[in-house]
Amino acid sequence: NAGVTQTPKFRILKIGQSMTLQCTQDMNHNYMYWYRQDPGMGLKLIYYSVGAGITDKGEVPNGYNVSRSTTEDFPLRLELAAPSQTSVYFCASSYPQKALPYGYTFGSGTRLTVV
Amino acid sequence: GENVEQHPSTLSVQEGDSAVIKCTYSDSASNYFPWYKQELGKRPQLIIDIRSNVGEKKDQRIAVTLNKTAKHFSLHITETQPEDSAVYFCAASNTGGFKTIFGAGTRLFVKA
């Protein structure tokens, strides 16, 4: 049981380049999320999904796109990378049932630097 | 919009002392309050949580209290140890747990 797996762990992008951050979970969780964490700061929600085919914007969605074609996968796409997108990106998932905790399981993060 | 305020931003204690971190939330519909611990360079990990129908919950050296009327909740760590040093995040969410709002975090230093 791997939990939430993110790839890559590190990446350096040049301004204007694009990339996809991969996230997959094997816990059959309905809900998945993408957060960014700037140095010394808290977590800001980029996008979230409550199930396959359903996505919605969080606090800071500009410059990003997501898709959710399967329950397991929730990739985050960066188009035209900008220095302001330098951050650590965390994917997370949760299983929203009353009998179970709503707490998130986080992936190990992707450290992205845009130069 | 909804927000969660967390205090203090930094907390330094001697090993063996207690540490208390306080949070205030704004959304009356919030009914689930998790706490996460993030060690340096690592992912946040859920350490304890509480639901709105409970006023207090304890797990070994950590406890959480919730005052729904005042919209306050707190994390208490007793007999602190150096390995408790980390950033702690409080959070609040509604039924289902999505759109969780995180506090800004508290950096806890436990001095040996």
PDB file of all heavy atoms in Angstrom, chain B residues 16-51:
ATOM      1  N   GLY B  16      10.367  18.808  28.252  1.00  0.00           N
ATOM      2  CA  GLY B  16       9.611  18.460  29.440  1.00  0.00           C
ATOM      3  C   GLY B  16       8.472  19.420  29.742  1.00  0.00           C
ATOM      4  O   GLY B  16       7.536  19.062  30.473  1.00  0.00           O
ATOM      5  N   ASP B  17       8.568  20.640  29.201  1.00  0.00           N
ATOM      6  CA  ASP B  17       7.490  21.611  29.396  1.00  0.00           C
ATOM      7  C   ASP B  17       6.323  21.284  28.468  1.00  0.00           C
ATOM      8  O   ASP B  17       6.426  20.436  27.578  1.00  0.00           O
ATOM      9  CB  ASP B  17       7.981  23.026  29.113  1.00  0.00           C
ATOM     10  CG  ASP B  17       8.901  23.539  30.213  1.00  0.00           C
ATOM     11  OD1 ASP B  17       8.997  22.878  31.269  1.00  0.00           O
ATOM     12  OD2 ASP B  17       9.533  24.602  29.994  1.00  0.00           O
ATOM     13  N   SER B  18       5.208  21.989  28.674  1.00  0.00           N
ATOM     14  CA  SER B  18       4.043  21.842  27.802  1.00  0.00           C
ATOM     15  C   SER B  18       4.048  22.926  26.726  1.00  0.00           C
ATOM     16  O   SER B  18       4.627  23.994  26.907  1.00  0.00           O
ATOM     17  CB  SER B  18       2.750  21.950  28.622  1.00  0.00           C
ATOM     18  OG  SER B  18       2.646  20.880  29.531  1.00  0.00           O
ATOM     19  N   ALA B  19       3.391  22.617  25.619  1.00  0.00           N
ATOM     20  CA  ALA B  19       3.241  23.583  24.521  1.00  0.00           C
ATOM     21  C   ALA B  19       1.765  23.653  24.147  1.00  0.00           C
ATOM     22  O   ALA B  19       1.088  22.618  24.091  1.00  0.00           O
ATOM     23  CB  ALA B  19       4.071  23.156  23.314  1.00  0.00           C
ATOM     24  N   VAL B  20       1.298  24.866  23.908  1.00  0.00           N
ATOM     25  CA  VAL B  20      -0.099  25.057  23.518  1.00  0.00           C
ATOM     26  C   VAL B  20      -0.158  25.916  22.261  1.00  0.00           C
ATOM     27  O   VAL B  20       0.475  26.983  22.203  1.00  0.00           O
ATOM     28  CB  VAL B  20      -0.922  25.740  24.633  1.00  0.00           C
ATOM     29  CG1 VAL B  20      -2.369  25.918  24.183  1.00  0.00           C
ATOM     30  CG2 VAL B  20      -0.854  24.934  25.913  1.00  0.00           C
ATOM     31  N   ILE B  21      -0.893  25.469  21.286  1.00  0.00           N
ATOM     32  CA  ILE B  21      -1.085  26.202  20.034  1.00  0.00           C
ATOM     33  C   ILE B  21      -2.583  26.430  19.878  1.00  0.00           C
ATOM     34  O   ILE B  21      -3.372  25.491  20.054  1.00  0.00           O
ATOM     35  CB  ILE B  21      -0.533  25.420  18.835  1.00  0.00           C
ATOM     36  CG1 ILE B  21       0.962  25.119  19.042  1.00  0.00           C
ATOM     37  CG2 ILE B  21      -0.757  26.190  17.539  1.00  0.00           C
ATOM     38  CD1 ILE B  21       1.535  24.146  18.021  1.00  0.00           C
ATOM     39  N   LYS B  22      -2.948  27.668  19.518  1.00  0.00           N
ATOM     40  CA  LYS B  22      -4.365  28.022  19.470  1.00  0.00           C
ATOM     41  C   LYS B  22      -4.791  28.424  18.070  1.00  0.00           C
ATOM     42  O   LYS B  22      -4.023  29.076  17.346  1.00  0.00           O
ATOM     43  CB  LYS B  22      -4.645  29.162  20.448  1.00  0.00           C
ATOM     44  CG  LYS B  22      -4.358  28.791  21.894  1.00  0.00           C
ATOM     45  CD  LYS B  22      -4.691  29.910  22.845  1.00  0.00           C
ATOM     46  CE  LYS B  22      -4.402  29.473  24.282  1.00  0.00           C
ATOM     47  NZ  LYS B  22      -4.767  30.525  25.261  1.00  0.00           N
ATOM     48  N   CYS B  23      -6.002  28.052  17.717  1.00  0.00           N
ATOM     49  CA  CYS B  23      -6.556  28.409  16.412  1.00  0.00           C
ATOM     50  C   CYS B  23      -7.980  28.913  16.554  1.00  0.00           C
ATOM     51  O   CYS B  23      -8.716  28.476  17.455  1.00  0.00           O
ATOM     52  CB  CYS B  23      -6.527  27.217  15.465  1.00  0.00           C
ATOM     53  SG  CYS B  23      -4.855  26.767  14.961  1.00  0.00           S
ATOM     54  N   THR B  24      -8.336  29.812  15.665  1.00  0.00           N
ATOM     55  CA  THR B  24      -9.683  30.354  15.588  1.00  0.00           C
ATOM     56  C   THR B  24     -10.169  30.217  14.154  1.00  0.00           C
ATOM     57  O   THR B  24      -9.418  30.512  13.223  1.00  0.00           O
ATOM     58  CB  THR B  24      -9.698  31.842  15.987  1.00  0.00           C
ATOM     59  OG1 THR B  24      -9.139  31.995  17.284  1.00  0.00           O
ATOM     60  CG2 THR B  24     -11.106  32.395  15.983  1.00  0.00           C
ATOM     61  N   TYR B  25     -11.412  29.779  13.975  1.00  0.00           N
ATOM     62  CA  TYR B  25     -11.954  29.626  12.622  1.00  0.00           C
ATOM     63  C   TYR B  25     -13.155  30.542  12.453  1.00  0.00           C
ATOM     64  O   TYR B  25     -13.773  30.973  13.423  1.00  0.00           O
ATOM     65  CB  TYR B  25     -12.312  28.168  12.339  1.00  0.00           C
ATOM     66  CG  TYR B  25     -13.385  27.584  13.233  1.00  0.00           C
ATOM     67  CD1 TYR B  25     -14.711  27.510  12.815  1.00  0.00           C
ATOM     68  CD2 TYR B  25     -13.056  27.070  14.490  1.00  0.00           C
ATOM     69  CE1 TYR B  25     -15.680  26.957  13.627  1.00  0.00           C
ATOM     70  CE2 TYR B  25     -14.026  26.532  15.314  1.00  0.00           C
ATOM     71  CZ  TYR B  25     -15.331  26.464  14.878  1.00  0.00           C
ATOM     72  OH  TYR B  25     -16.298  25.918  15.691  1.00  0.00           O
ATOM     73  N   SER B  26     -13.489  30.803  11.197  1.00  0.00           N
ATOM     74  CA  SER B  26     -14.559  31.763  10.931  1.00  0.00           C
ATOM     75  C   SER B  26     -15.840  31.114  10.403  1.00  0.00           C
ATOM     76  O   SER B  26     -16.930  31.665  10.569  1.00  0.00           O
ATOM     77  CB  SER B  26     -14.082  32.821   9.937  1.00  0.00           C
ATOM     78  OG  SER B  26     -13.720  32.225   8.710  1.00  0.00           O
ATOM     79  N   ASP B  27     -15.724  29.948   9.764  1.00  0.00           N
ATOM     80  CA  ASP B  27     -16.890  29.333   9.124  1.00  0.00           C
ATOM     81  C   ASP B  27     -17.693  28.507  10.130  1.00  0.00           C
ATOM     82  O   ASP B  27     -17.219  27.475  10.609  1.00  0.00           O
ATOM     83  CB  ASP B  27     -16.417  28.449   7.969  1.00  0.00           C
ATOM     84  CG  ASP B  27     -17.578  27.875   7.169  1.00  0.00           C
ATOM     85  OD1 ASP B  27     -18.744  28.166   7.500  1.00  0.00           O
ATOM     86  OD2 ASP B  27     -17.316  27.137   6.204  1.00  0.00           O
ATOM     87  N   SER B  28     -18.901  28.931  10.424  1.00  0.00           N
ATOM     88  CA  SER B  28     -19.744  28.233  11.399  1.00  0.00           C
ATOM     89  C   SER B  28     -20.089  26.815  10.961  1.00  0.00           C
ATOM     90  O   SER B  28     -20.433  25.974  11.787  1.00  0.00           O
ATOM     91  CB  SER B  28     -21.047  29.014  11.600  1.00  0.00           C
ATOM     92  OG  SER B  28     -20.787  30.304  12.069  1.00  0.00           O
ATOM     93  N   ALA B  29     -19.982  26.547   9.665  1.00  0.00           N
ATOM     94  CA  ALA B  29     -20.314  25.211   9.159  1.00  0.00           C
ATOM     95  C   ALA B  29     -19.182  24.211   9.371  1.00  0.00           C
ATOM     96  O   ALA B  29     -19.363  23.012   9.152  1.00  0.00           O
ATOM     97  CB  ALA B  29     -20.644  25.291   7.674  1.00  0.00           C
ATOM     98  N   SER B  30     -18.024  24.672   9.792  1.00  0.00           N
ATOM     99  CA  SER B  30     -16.896  23.763  10.027  1.00  0.00           C
ATOM    100  C   SER B  30     -17.248  22.779  11.126  1.00  0.00           C
ATOM    101  O   SER B  30     -17.781  23.155  12.171  1.00  0.00           O
ATOM    102  CB  SER B  30     -15.645  24.550  10.426  1.00  0.00           C
ATOM    103  OG  SER B  30     -15.232  25.394   9.389  1.00  0.00           O
ATOM    104  N   ASN B  31     -16.945  21.505  10.884  1.00  0.00           N
ATOM    105  CA  ASN B  31     -17.261  20.500  11.897  1.00  0.00           C
ATOM    106  C   ASN B  31     -16.169  19.447  12.057  1.00  0.00           C
ATOM    107  O   ASN B  31     -16.353  18.448  12.746  1.00  0.00           O
ATOM    108  CB  ASN B  31     -18.602  19.830  11.573  1.00  0.00           C
ATOM    109  CG  ASN B  31     -18.601  19.172  10.207  1.00  0.00           C
ATOM    110  OD1 ASN B  31     -17.577  19.073   9.544  1.00  0.00           O
ATOM    111  ND2 ASN B  31     -19.755  18.707   9.789  1.00  0.00           N
ATOM    112  N   TYR B  32     -15.043  19.674  11.429  1.00  0.00           N
ATOM    113  CA  TYR B  32     -13.933  18.733  11.558  1.00  0.00           C
ATOM    114  C   TYR B  32     -12.639  19.523  11.640  1.00  0.00           C
ATOM    115  O   TYR B  32     -12.403  20.424  10.816  1.00  0.00           O
ATOM    116  CB  TYR B  32     -13.917  17.785  10.349  1.00  0.00           C
ATOM    117  CG  TYR B  32     -12.733  16.842  10.338  1.00  0.00           C
ATOM    118  CD1 TYR B  32     -12.594  15.858  11.308  1.00  0.00           C
ATOM    119  CD2 TYR B  32     -11.760  16.945   9.360  1.00  0.00           C
ATOM    120  CE1 TYR B  32     -11.514  14.998  11.303  1.00  0.00           C
ATOM    121  CE2 TYR B  32     -10.676  16.089   9.345  1.00  0.00           C
ATOM    122  CZ  TYR B  32     -10.566  15.124  10.319  1.00  0.00           C
ATOM    123  OH  TYR B  32      -9.495  14.273  10.316  1.00  0.00           O
ATOM    124  N   PHE B  33     -11.803  19.197  12.655  1.00  0.00           N
ATOM    125  CA  PHE B  33     -10.634  20.024  12.962  1.00  0.00           C
ATOM    126  C   PHE B  33      -9.404  19.133  13.141  1.00  0.00           C
ATOM    127  O   PHE B  33      -9.131  18.634  14.226  1.00  0.00           O
ATOM    128  CB  PHE B  33     -10.899  20.859  14.218  1.00  0.00           C
ATOM    129  CG  PHE B  33     -12.177  21.647  14.121  1.00  0.00           C
ATOM    130  CD1 PHE B  33     -13.370  21.114  14.583  1.00  0.00           C
ATOM    131  CD2 PHE B  33     -12.181  22.899  13.529  1.00  0.00           C
ATOM    132  CE1 PHE B  33     -14.564  21.820  14.476  1.00  0.00           C
ATOM    133  CE2 PHE B  33     -13.374  23.618  13.413  1.00  0.00           C
ATOM    134  CZ  PHE B  33     -14.558  23.081  13.886  1.00  0.00           C
ATOM    135  N   PRO B  34      -8.643  18.947  12.077  1.00  0.00           N
ATOM    136  CA  PRO B  34      -7.439  18.115  12.178  1.00  0.00           C
ATOM    137  C   PRO B  34      -6.207  18.956  12.502  1.00  0.00           C
ATOM    138  O   PRO B  34      -6.179  20.170  12.261  1.00  0.00           O
ATOM    139  CB  PRO B  34      -7.323  17.528  10.769  1.00  0.00           C
ATOM    140  CG  PRO B  34      -7.920  18.578   9.874  1.00  0.00           C
ATOM    141  CD  PRO B  34      -8.968  19.297  10.696  1.00  0.00           C
ATOM    142  N   TRP B  35      -5.188  18.296  13.035  1.00  0.00           N
ATOM    143  CA  TRP B  35      -3.885  18.909  13.266  1.00  0.00           C
ATOM    144  C   TRP B  35      -2.833  18.079  12.533  1.00  0.00           C
ATOM    145  O   TRP B  35      -2.846  16.846  12.596  1.00  0.00           O
ATOM    146  CB  TRP B  35      -3.559  18.945  14.754  1.00  0.00           C
ATOM    147  CG  TRP B  35      -4.343  19.959  15.509  1.00  0.00           C
ATOM    148  CD1 TRP B  35      -5.592  19.800  16.047  1.00  0.00           C
ATOM    149  CD2 TRP B  35      -3.942  21.289  15.822  1.00  0.00           C
ATOM    150  NE1 TRP B  35      -5.983  20.958  16.678  1.00  0.00           N
ATOM    151  CE2 TRP B  35      -4.990  21.891  16.556  1.00  0.00           C
ATOM    152  CE3 TRP B  35      -2.791  22.050  15.565  1.00  0.00           C
ATOM    153  CZ2 TRP B  35      -4.924  23.196  17.036  1.00  0.00           C
ATOM    154  CZ3 TRP B  35      -2.726  23.341  16.045  1.00  0.00           C
ATOM    155  CH2 TRP B  35      -3.788  23.914  16.771  1.00  0.00           C
ATOM    156  N   TYR B  36      -1.921  18.804  11.868  1.00  0.00           N
ATOM    157  CA  TYR B  36      -0.864  18.140  11.116  1.00  0.00           C
ATOM    158  C   TYR B  36       0.492  18.583  11.647  1.00  0.00           C
ATOM    159  O   TYR B  36       0.679  19.735  12.038  1.00  0.00           O
ATOM    160  CB  TYR B  36      -0.947  18.500   9.623  1.00  0.00           C
ATOM    161  CG  TYR B  36      -2.190  17.962   8.955  1.00  0.00           C
ATOM    162  CD1 TYR B  36      -3.379  18.672   8.979  1.00  0.00           C
ATOM    163  CD2 TYR B  36      -2.167  16.732   8.295  1.00  0.00           C
ATOM    164  CE1 TYR B  36      -4.522  18.173   8.375  1.00  0.00           C
ATOM    165  CE2 TYR B  36      -3.298  16.223   7.686  1.00  0.00           C
ATOM    166  CZ  TYR B  36      -4.471  16.954   7.736  1.00  0.00           C
ATOM    167  OH  TYR B  36      -5.602  16.455   7.136  1.00  0.00           O
ATOM    168  N   LYS B  37       1.424  17.639  11.613  1.00  0.00           N
ATOM    169  CA  LYS B  37       2.809  17.918  11.995  1.00  0.00           C
ATOM    170  C   LYS B  37       3.669  17.795  10.752  1.00  0.00           C
ATOM    171  O   LYS B  37       3.568  16.798  10.016  1.00  0.00           O
ATOM    172  CB  LYS B  37       3.261  16.912  13.057  1.00  0.00           C
ATOM    173  CG  LYS B  37       4.713  17.029  13.467  1.00  0.00           C
ATOM    174  CD  LYS B  37       5.078  15.926  14.460  1.00  0.00           C
ATOM    175  CE  LYS B  37       6.522  16.005  14.897  1.00  0.00           C
ATOM    176  NZ  LYS B  37       6.886  14.889  15.829  1.00  0.00           N
ATOM    177  N   GLN B  38       4.514  18.793  10.502  1.00  0.00           N
ATOM    178  CA  GLN B  38       5.402  18.739   9.352  1.00  0.00           C
ATOM    179  C   GLN B  38       6.838  18.925   9.812  1.00  0.00           C
ATOM    180  O   GLN B  38       7.225  20.022  10.227  1.00  0.00           O
ATOM    181  CB  GLN B  38       5.032  19.799   8.308  1.00  0.00           C
ATOM    182  CG  GLN B  38       5.847  19.677   7.033  1.00  0.00           C
ATOM    183  CD  GLN B  38       5.455  20.693   5.989  1.00  0.00           C
ATOM    184  OE1 GLN B  38       4.999  21.789   6.290  1.00  0.00           O
ATOM    185  NE2 GLN B  38       5.616  20.331   4.718  1.00  0.00           N
ATOM    186  N   GLU B  39       7.608  17.869   9.735  1.00  0.00           N
ATOM    187  CA  GLU B  39       9.031  17.964  10.044  1.00  0.00           C
ATOM    188  C   GLU B  39       9.763  18.565   8.853  1.00  0.00           C
ATOM    189  O   GLU B  39       9.257  18.540   7.725  1.00  0.00           O
ATOM    190  CB  GLU B  39       9.573  16.591  10.420  1.00  0.00           C
ATOM    191  CG  GLU B  39       8.915  16.035  11.682  1.00  0.00           C
ATOM    192  CD  GLU B  39       9.356  14.632  12.024  1.00  0.00           C
ATOM    193  OE1 GLU B  39      10.100  14.019  11.245  1.00  0.00           O
ATOM    194  OE2 GLU B  39       8.942  14.145  13.084  1.00  0.00           O
ATOM    195  N   LEU B  40      10.932  19.092   9.103  1.00  0.00           N
ATOM    196  CA  LEU B  40      11.678  19.826   8.083  1.00  0.00           C
ATOM    197  C   LEU B  40      11.886  18.971   6.834  1.00  0.00           C
ATOM    198  O   LEU B  40      12.423  17.863   6.900  1.00  0.00           O
ATOM    199  CB  LEU B  40      13.019  20.266   8.661  1.00  0.00           C
ATOM    200  CG  LEU B  40      13.827  21.235   7.810  1.00  0.00           C
ATOM    201  CD1 LEU B  40      13.059  22.541   7.629  1.00  0.00           C
ATOM    202  CD2 LEU B  40      15.187  21.490   8.436  1.00  0.00           C
ATOM    203  N   GLY B  41      11.430  19.492   5.706  1.00  0.00           N
ATOM    204  CA  GLY B  41      11.624  18.797   4.434  1.00  0.00           C
ATOM    205  C   GLY B  41      10.714  17.604   4.202  1.00  0.00           C
ATOM    206  O   GLY B  41      10.884  16.875   3.223  1.00  0.00           O
ATOM    207  N   LYS B  42       9.752  17.408   5.107  1.00  0.00           N
ATOM    208  CA  LYS B  42       8.872  16.242   4.981  1.00  0.00           C
ATOM    209  C   LYS B  42       7.433  16.667   4.662  1.00  0.00           C
ATOM    210  O   LYS B  42       7.111  17.845   4.635  1.00  0.00           O
ATOM    211  CB  LYS B  42       8.880  15.454   6.297  1.00  0.00           C
ATOM    212  CG  LYS B  42      10.259  14.953   6.718  1.00  0.00           C
ATOM    213  CD  LYS B  42      10.694  13.801   5.877  1.00  0.00           C
ATOM    214  CE  LYS B  42      12.041  13.235   6.290  1.00  0.00           C
ATOM    215  NZ  LYS B  42      12.003  12.624   7.638  1.00  0.00           N
ATOM    216  N   ARG B  43       6.585  15.703   4.445  1.00  0.00           N
ATOM    217  CA  ARG B  43       5.185  15.980   4.166  1.00  0.00           C
ATOM    218  C   ARG B  43       4.423  16.215   5.478  1.00  0.00           C
ATOM    219  O   ARG B  43       4.807  15.677   6.511  1.00  0.00           O
ATOM    220  CB  ARG B  43       4.567  14.801   3.419  1.00  0.00           C
ATOM    221  CG  ARG B  43       4.293  13.571   4.296  1.00  0.00           C
ATOM    222  CD  ARG B  43       3.915  12.353   3.492  1.00  0.00           C
ATOM    223  NE  ARG B  43       5.075  11.693   2.916  1.00  0.00           N
ATOM    224  CZ  ARG B  43       5.010  10.668   2.075  1.00  0.00           C
ATOM    225  NH1 ARG B  43       3.821  10.222   1.683  1.00  0.00           N
ATOM    226  NH2 ARG B  43       6.096  10.105   1.607  1.00  0.00           N
ATOM    227  N   PRO B  44       3.338  16.974   5.445  1.00  0.00           N
ATOM    228  CA  PRO B  44       2.486  17.080   6.651  1.00  0.00           C
ATOM    229  C   PRO B  44       1.857  15.728   6.957  1.00  0.00           C
ATOM    230  O   PRO B  44       1.463  15.000   6.044  1.00  0.00           O
ATOM    231  CB  PRO B  44       1.414  18.102   6.238  1.00  0.00           C
ATOM    232  CG  PRO B  44       1.976  18.805   5.054  1.00  0.00           C
ATOM    233  CD  PRO B  44       2.842  17.817   4.348  1.00  0.00           C
ATOM    234  N   GLN B  45       1.762  15.432   8.253  1.00  0.00           N
ATOM    235  CA  GLN B  45       1.131  14.177   8.660  1.00  0.00           C
ATOM    236  C   GLN B  45       0.105  14.453   9.742  1.00  0.00           C
ATOM    237  O   GLN B  45       0.381  15.205  10.689  1.00  0.00           O
ATOM    238  CB  GLN B  45       2.187  13.187   9.157  1.00  0.00           C
ATOM    239  CG  GLN B  45       3.099  12.700   8.026  1.00  0.00           C
ATOM    240  CD  GLN B  45       3.873  11.451   8.385  1.00  0.00           C
ATOM    241  OE1 GLN B  45       4.676  11.489   9.304  1.00  0.00           O
ATOM    242  NE2 GLN B  45       3.656  10.373   7.658  1.00  0.00           N
ATOM    243  N   LEU B  46      -1.053  13.829   9.601  1.00  0.00           N
ATOM    244  CA  LEU B  46      -2.135  13.972  10.565  1.00  0.00           C
ATOM    245  C   LEU B  46      -1.709  13.376  11.902  1.00  0.00           C
ATOM    246  O   LEU B  46      -1.258  12.228  11.959  1.00  0.00           O
ATOM    247  CB  LEU B  46      -3.383  13.263  10.049  1.00  0.00           C
ATOM    248  CG  LEU B  46      -4.621  13.281  10.940  1.00  0.00           C
ATOM    249  CD1 LEU B  46      -5.193  14.688  10.997  1.00  0.00           C
ATOM    250  CD2 LEU B  46      -5.660  12.292  10.421  1.00  0.00           C
ATOM    251  N   ILE B  47      -1.820  14.159  12.979  1.00  0.00           N
ATOM    252  CA  ILE B  47      -1.444  13.636  14.285  1.00  0.00           C
ATOM    253  C   ILE B  47      -2.636  13.453  15.206  1.00  0.00           C
ATOM    254  O   ILE B  47      -2.649  12.559  16.055  1.00  0.00           O
ATOM    255  CB  ILE B  47      -0.384  14.516  14.988  1.00  0.00           C
ATOM    256  CG1 ILE B  47      -0.854  15.977  15.105  1.00  0.00           C
ATOM    257  CG2 ILE B  47       0.950  14.429  14.276  1.00  0.00           C
ATOM    258  CD1 ILE B  47       0.053  16.836  15.970  1.00  0.00           C
ATOM    259  N   ILE B  48      -3.661  14.265  15.049  1.00  0.00           N
ATOM    260  CA  ILE B  48      -4.862  14.136  15.866  1.00  0.00           C
ATOM    261  C   ILE B  48      -5.955  14.966  15.220  1.00  0.00           C
ATOM    262  O   ILE B  48      -5.659  15.910  14.467  1.00  0.00           O
ATOM    263  CB  ILE B  48      -4.602  14.564  17.331  1.00  0.00           C
ATOM    264  CG1 ILE B  48      -5.730  14.086  18.265  1.00  0.00           C
ATOM    265  CG2 ILE B  48      -4.392  16.071  17.433  1.00  0.00           C
ATOM    266  CD1 ILE B  48      -5.395  14.199  19.749  1.00  0.00           C
ATOM    267  N   ASP B  49      -7.197  14.618  15.487  1.00  0.00           N
ATOM    268  CA  ASP B  49      -8.305  15.395  14.942  1.00  0.00           C
ATOM    269  C   ASP B  49      -9.465  15.367  15.930  1.00  0.00           C
ATOM    270  O   ASP B  49      -9.507  14.548  16.849  1.00  0.00           O
ATOM    271  CB  ASP B  49      -8.737  14.867  13.575  1.00  0.00           C
ATOM    272  CG  ASP B  49      -9.104  13.383  13.590  1.00  0.00           C
ATOM    273  OD1 ASP B  49      -9.276  12.798  14.674  1.00  0.00           O
ATOM    274  OD2 ASP B  49      -9.212  12.793  12.496  1.00  0.00           O
ATOM    275  N   ILE B  50     -10.412  16.260  15.716  1.00  0.00           N
ATOM    276  CA  ILE B  50     -11.582  16.319  16.579  1.00  0.00           C
ATOM    277  C   ILE B  50     -12.785  16.747  15.765  1.00  0.00           C
ATOM    278  O   ILE B  50     -12.651  17.555  14.843  1.00  0.00           O
ATOM    279  CB  ILE B  50     -11.328  17.274  17.777  1.00  0.00           C
ATOM    280  CG1 ILE B  50     -12.426  17.113  18.835  1.00  0.00           C
ATOM    281  CG2 ILE B  50     -11.188  18.720  17.326  1.00  0.00           C
ATOM    282  CD1 ILE B  50     -12.079  17.790  20.154  1.00  0.00           C
ATOM    283  N   ARG B  51     -13.919  16.188  16.094  1.00  0.00           N
ATOM    284  CA  ARG B  51     -15.151  16.557  15.408  1.00  0.00           C
ATOM    285  C   ARG B  51     -15.985  17.467  16.306  1.00  0.00           C
ATOM    286  O   ARG B  51     -15.798  17.504  17.524  1.00  0.00           O
ATOM    287  CB  ARG B  51     -15.936  15.308  15.022  1.00  0.00           C
ATOM    288  CG  ARG B  51     -15.201  14.472  14.011  1.00  0.00           C
ATOM    289  CD  ARG B  51     -16.108  13.792  13.019  1.00  0.00           C
ATOM    290  NE  ARG B  51     -15.333  13.238  11.918  1.00  0.00           N
ATOM    291  CZ  ARG B  51     -15.002  11.955  11.821  1.00  0.00           C
ATOM    292  NH1 ARG B  51     -15.373  11.110  12.752  1.00  0.00           N
ATOM    293  NH2 ARG B  51     -14.304  11.538  10.804  1.00  0.00           N
TER     294      ARG B  51
END
